[in-house]
Amino acid sequence: KGHWLATSRLDGTLPDLLFLREKDMIRALRSAVHREEQKGNISMECGAHVESIFEESTAPWSAPLVLEDGKGRTKNSSRDYHLIIAADGMNSVIRKMYGGHICSQGNIADSGSRSIDIEPSPGKVTTEWLVTGQAEATGVQDRGYTVFRGNSPLSMKDVNMDKSFQTWGEGRSMRFATVPMTCPIDGKRQEQQVWFITIDDEKIPKEKDPAKRRDMLLEAFRDWHDPIGQLIESTPADSILMERALAHKHSMSPVANFNGILSHIRNIQPRTSGNGPAIVFVGDAFMTVDPILAQGFTIGMEGAAALRSSLESGLASKGREEYPELAFDPFIIRDELKNRHDARLSRLIHLLRATELVQALGQPTSGTISGMLSRDILRPLMRFTPDFIKKPIFNFMLKYSLGNPTIVNTNTSAPPPSADANLQKS
């Protein structure tokens, strides 16, 4: 029926909620890349994808990338790289190939500035490396539901809404949420309702016809309160996006000793001096998180900011006499990457804990003890608890999911606009 469980008004004293269209986000990123290319700060290799890192490089502390053109032909990139940034998404090739190799005496990816003996020793390697560790570290987990996203052309006035809301179901991981967004359409600013649905129903994703798939969503949410049906029905069927909710089991730490990993997985002695190129993972390649709290893009931007700080500090260091071809200290760069990665783990752990809590409350599994607790005890308790008690708790949960919100630096002359976050129960 849609009983209110909790409401929250973020007034600028906490990091507020920001919503933007995916195509606007991608357009902004592309514009930034092209602008830097025009300035001569970067060069782009187009028409190919990264297949691996060239493993026979003789250049000190670096290696080129191996590029594949889509027709089975490969070539090396035009230059060597001292630092390789893997930002190639959840199914990152670099992550799967070189990330998460764990040694029983320590994680070679986390070696920092510590020198590691990379002389070939086949017998020693096979006994000290955890064979199943890398598969576990890079594994992807199905979160048990499918996400559907759409933009309804209806305004809040059209559907008699006065605030955004999120409604929790009582089985099949069902949720519905909508947020109003004003954006330019055909040269005019127009309000839309940006909504998402989560549901665990294998029949709906298998339907190939977008119109029939939308009808199936309407049927699944037929008994839910207004204006859910209106928003789904008014959304063009072929514009509704669909994706399975997947997440990585673990985050991926930087690779500080590429040559050490090569000596393990290839059982060879690398030809280059030093530790080879450093690798750092950003965005979904770092860790694809459950989309339930919609913080995946935020994690990616935080990773990019941390990487920039690492490079600024590392490149300010003086080079080492034993590596005259480098204008920086390669060990300090690796320490910077490792330290900033470790500093971000607390924020990530907060997000993962909050995700599991919201998943348990918002998407209870029918027939389980946790589902019964959520449906029969926690939700009724939330409904009848006074708002002056619930609101600080709900605000704290949002703040907790961000870890330490002081890492968000808003250098503006005026406070950011406030946002409503609300929960409803179906």
Side-chain angles (χ1 to χ4, degrees):
K1 299 298 182 181
H3 303 299
W4 286 108
L5 294 180
T7 62
S8 175
R9 179 85 179 170
L10 303 183
D11 57 8
T13 59
L14 298 174
D16 283 341
L17 307 178
L18 173 65
F19 297 91
L20 70 160
R21 293 185 301 178
E22 183 177 1
K23 64 180 182 181
D24 291 336
M25 174 189 73
I26 294 174
R27 185 186 299 118
L29 293 174
R30 284 176 175 167
S31 297
V33 169
H34 289 307
R35 189 163 55 246
E36 292 302 311
E37 184 182 24
Q38 291 171 354
K39 292 179 180 178
N41 294 333
I42 66 172
S43 62
M44 296 180 64
E45 301 255 9
C46 301
H49 66 266
V50 175
E51 184 177 81
S52 64
I53 299 171
F54 185 59
E55 299 176 356
E56 298 181 8
S57 173
T58 58
W61 294 91
S62 61
L65 296 171
V66 179
L67 306 175
E68 201 267 327
D69 64 0
K71 298 180 181 179
R73 296 173 297 194
T74 61
K75 66 174 183 177
N76 288 352
S77 56
S78 57
R79 58 162 297 170
D80 299 328
Y81 297 99
H82 298 290
L83 173 65
I84 295 171
I85 303 169
D88 47 345
M90 179 179 70
N91 297 312
S92 166
V93 173
I94 302 300
R95 187 186 212 268
K96 290 180 179 178
M97 192 171 294
Y98 304 112
H101 291 278
I102 301 170
C103 180
S104 60
Q105 293 184 343
N107 188 337
I108 207 163
D110 289 343
S111 57
S113 62
R114 185 164 47 86
S115 297
I116 292 184
D117 179 12
I118 59 172
E119 292 297 320
S121 180
K124 189 176 181 181
V125 166
T126 55
T127 57
E128 291 190 352
W129 287 82
L130 303 180
V131 177
T132 60
Q134 202 260 348
E136 169 67 21
T138 59
V140 175
Q141 182 182 48
D142 190 310
R143 297 296 292 175
Y145 62 93
T146 302
V147 184
F148 297 85
R149 311 176 197 272
N151 294 338
S152 167
L154 301 179
S155 67
M156 295 184 73
K157 185 178 180 180
D158 292 335
V159 293
N160 197 27
M161 278 174 51
D162 60 355
K163 62 184 69 176
S164 59
F165 66 87
Q166 181 174 149
T167 300
W168 294 349
E170 296 184 345
R172 295 195 295 166
S173 296
M174 295 176 71
R175 283 190 305 144
F176 182 94
T178 185
V179 176
M181 178 183 295
T182 302
C183 50
I185 299 176
D186 298 328
K188 298 180 181 179
R189 294 186 65 80
Q190 180 178 323
E191 181 185 317
Q192 292 186 325
Q193 305 305 312
V194 180
W195 58 262
F196 76 81
I197 281 173
T198 70
I199 185 171
D200 183 18
D201 186 330
E202 61 180 19
K203 295 180 181 179
I204 301 178
K206 289 180 179 179
E207 175 55 59
K208 302 298 183 182
D209 186 334
K212 292 181 179 179
R213 195 161 55 230
R214 184 185 59 183
D215 290 343
M216 294 173 76
L217 289 173
L218 277 168
E219 178 60 27
F221 288 84
R222 177 170 52 86
D223 296 329
W224 288 42
H225 64 84
D226 294 331
I228 291 176
Q230 294 170 269
L231 296 177
I232 298 173
E233 190 170 19
S234 62
T235 303
D238 57 0
S239 72
I240 298 176
L241 303 178
M242 175 182 68
E243 61 180 335
R244 187 66 180 173
L246 302 173
H248 283 132
K249 296 180 179 180
H250 303 281
S251 62
M252 191 53 59
S253 56
V255 173
N257 193 333
F258 179 73
N259 285 353
I261 289 177
L262 282 189
S263 70
H264 161 57
I265 63 177
R266 306 291 185 237
N267 197 21
I268 60 173
Q269 181 180 8
R271 300 171 62 187
T272 180
S273 62
N275 287 5
I279 306 174
V280 64
F281 302 90
V282 174
D284 281 350
F286 164 69
M287 185 175 188
T288 302
V289 296
D290 189 304
I292 195 170
L293 291 178
Q295 292 192 34
F297 179 66
T298 305
I299 290 289
M301 296 303 290
E302 290 171 2
L307 174 59
R308 175 179 176 175
S309 298
S310 295
L311 292 178
E312 287 177 343
S313 298
L315 295 178
S317 63
K318 295 181 179 180
R320 293 197 171 207
E321 292 183 1
E322 61 267 40
Y323 304 112
E325 56 279 298
L326 300 182
F328 58 91
D329 188 326
F331 294 120
I332 290 180
I333 285 282
R334 285 156 173 75
D335 280 338
E336 282 287 336
L337 293 174
K338 173 66 164 56
N339 291 339
R340 292 186 189 276
H341 169 269
D342 290 347
R344 295 179 61 211
L345 290 182
S346 175
R347 182 267 196 269
L348 183 61
I349 290 172
H350 280 72
L351 171 60
L352 298 179
R353 287 172 178 167
T355 294
E356 294 303 325
L357 175 62
V358 172
Q359 177 111 359
L361 288 174
Q363 298 175 322
T365 303
S366 301
T368 65
I369 296 178
S370 60
M372 289 188 293
L373 287 174
S374 174
R375 184 182 63 252
D376 300 330
I377 298 178
L378 293 179
R379 289 189 182 186
L381 185 64
M382 288 178 64
R383 181 182 173 189
F384 295 109
T385 299
D387 199 47
F388 73 89
I389 296 177
K390 291 187 293 189
K391 187 174 291 186
I393 296 175
F394 189 44
N395 283 343
F396 174 80
M397 183 183 70
L398 293 176
K399 182 177 178 180
Y400 183 85
S401 73
L402 295 170
N404 181 5
T406 59
I407 63 174
V408 180
N409 180 18
T410 52
N411 232 350
T412 55
S413 56
S418 58
D420 283 322
N422 310 288
L423 297 179
Q424 275 189 314
K425 172 186 173 184
S426 172

